[in-house]
């Protein structure tokens, strides 16, 4: 990629894009090995790419306590969720190798400290519940008992799920700059995009230069639509209904935490590092079950000083096609009764698709429905 000045874009969180990529050390074989979970590998990869700037490694106690308690790093910079590495025991060495579950070594961690942590307190503050039926809380409770902290140097990046869509923050920034975009809105999704979300992205795009469609491709719950199917849905939608020079599709390698409000802030901070000046926050962002109020993921942004995040959240209502308006709309822009609105429950949509029936064009684009029908077959 040619070198393009990216200084017209929003600055990374904390001011500088962190780069924790480095060389494989010669003494690698002599280092103790710590095995990472899938989520920790996702976090490691995002530390390597700068997506978690300004973090340079897994969090130490001071940052961790401050984040859990007050949604800030010890420096005072806003930060919504812990990025920690759980282990059974403190390391006996001042450096350890980090490996994935297959045993492949990915990085070296310079051990700063190991510390114990209160899982229930982390659950209550970060997930707003201590219920182990919550998938994020369940994962937290299943974790090992100590956090191991320190800077990482990553010499082997995990294989991306979609190499063609794998762009690091420096690369999305270069792509934005190359297209002359200054103001870019990021859209987080872990579902196929139907008309409602197409509408949100286009309303947002009307006010800025470009749109980053940034589907999460890390670990999700088993019942979410598989990532390869989703990517096919995004491709046919963008090909058919978005101008090519205004949209970039790239994969967000994070694992879902399902932390609702706090995850909305965390997602926004990551997208700022990718170069987005704006971020779409819908209703129930990153939620699961009934753990969060409909607007909690929007209201939490008020806990920070205005513009402190720099990236601007764009809040959206639930939207739908209104037959009386003859257009996509929401409660903010349409005065009509529910009878006029094209609404299908998630269950109804799945039933239709499983039966090979195409849902109404007002609900989802035919091309997207066809991909999903094929996948359900
Ligand atoms: Zn209407």
């Amino acid at each position: 990629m040619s070198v393009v000045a990216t200084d017209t874009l929003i600055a990374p969180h904390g001011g500088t894009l962190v780069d924790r990529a480095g060389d494989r050390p010669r003494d690698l074989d002599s280092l103790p090995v710590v095995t990472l979970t899938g989520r920790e590998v996702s976090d490691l990869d995002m530390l390597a790419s700068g997506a978690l700037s300004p973090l340079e490694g897994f969090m130490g106690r001071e940052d961790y306590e401050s984040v859990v308690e007050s949604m800030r790093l010890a420096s005072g910079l806003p930060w919504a969720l812990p990025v920690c590495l759980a282990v059974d025991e403190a390391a006996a060495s001042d450096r350890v190798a980090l490996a994935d579950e297959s045993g492949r070594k990915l990085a070296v961690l310079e051990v700063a400290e190991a510390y114990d942590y209160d899982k229930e307190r982390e659950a209550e503050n970060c997930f707003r519940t201590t219920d182990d039926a919550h998938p994020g809380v369940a994962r937290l409770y299943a974790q090992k008992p100590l956090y191991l902290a320190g800077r990482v140097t990553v010499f082997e990046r995990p294989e991306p799920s979609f190499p063609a869509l794998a762009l690091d923050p420096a690369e999305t920034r270069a792509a934005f700059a190359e297209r002359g975009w200054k103001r870019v809105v990021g859209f987080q999704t872990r579902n196929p995009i139907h008309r409602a979300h197409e509408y949100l992205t286009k309303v947002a795009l009307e006010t800025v230069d470009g749109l980053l469609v940034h589907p999460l491709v890390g670990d999700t719950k088993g019942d979410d639509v598989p990532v390869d199917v989703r990517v096919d849905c995004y491709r046919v939608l963008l090909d058919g209904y978005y101008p090519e020079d205004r949209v970039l599709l790239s994969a967000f390698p994070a694992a879902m935490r399902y932390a609702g409000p706090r995850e909305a802030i965390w997602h926004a901070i990551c997208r700022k590092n990718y170069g987005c000046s704006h971020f779409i926050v819908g209703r129930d962002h990153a939620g699961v079950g009934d753990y969060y109020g409909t607007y909690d993921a929007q209201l939490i942004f008020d806990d920070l000083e205005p513009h402190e995040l720099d990236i601007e959240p764009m809040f959206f209502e639930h939207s739908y096609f209104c037959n009386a308006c003859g257009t996509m709309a929401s409660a903010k822009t349409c005065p009509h009764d529910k009878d006029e609105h094209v609404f299908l429950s998630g269950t109804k949509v799945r039933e239709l698709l499983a039966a090979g029936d195409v849902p109404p064009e007002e609900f989802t684009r035919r091309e997207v429905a066809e991909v999903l029908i094929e996948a359900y077959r």
Side-chain angles (χ1 to χ4, degrees), residues 322 324-325 329 334-336 341:
C322 172
C325 289
C334 153
H336 303 110
H341 303 163

Side-chain angles (χ1 to χ4, degrees), residues 320-330 333-337 340-341:
Y320 44 75
F321 188 91
C322 172
N323 289 315
C325 289
T327 181
M328 295 299 298
S330 78
T333 51
C334 153
H336 303 110
D337 196 70
E340 301 286 357
H341 303 163

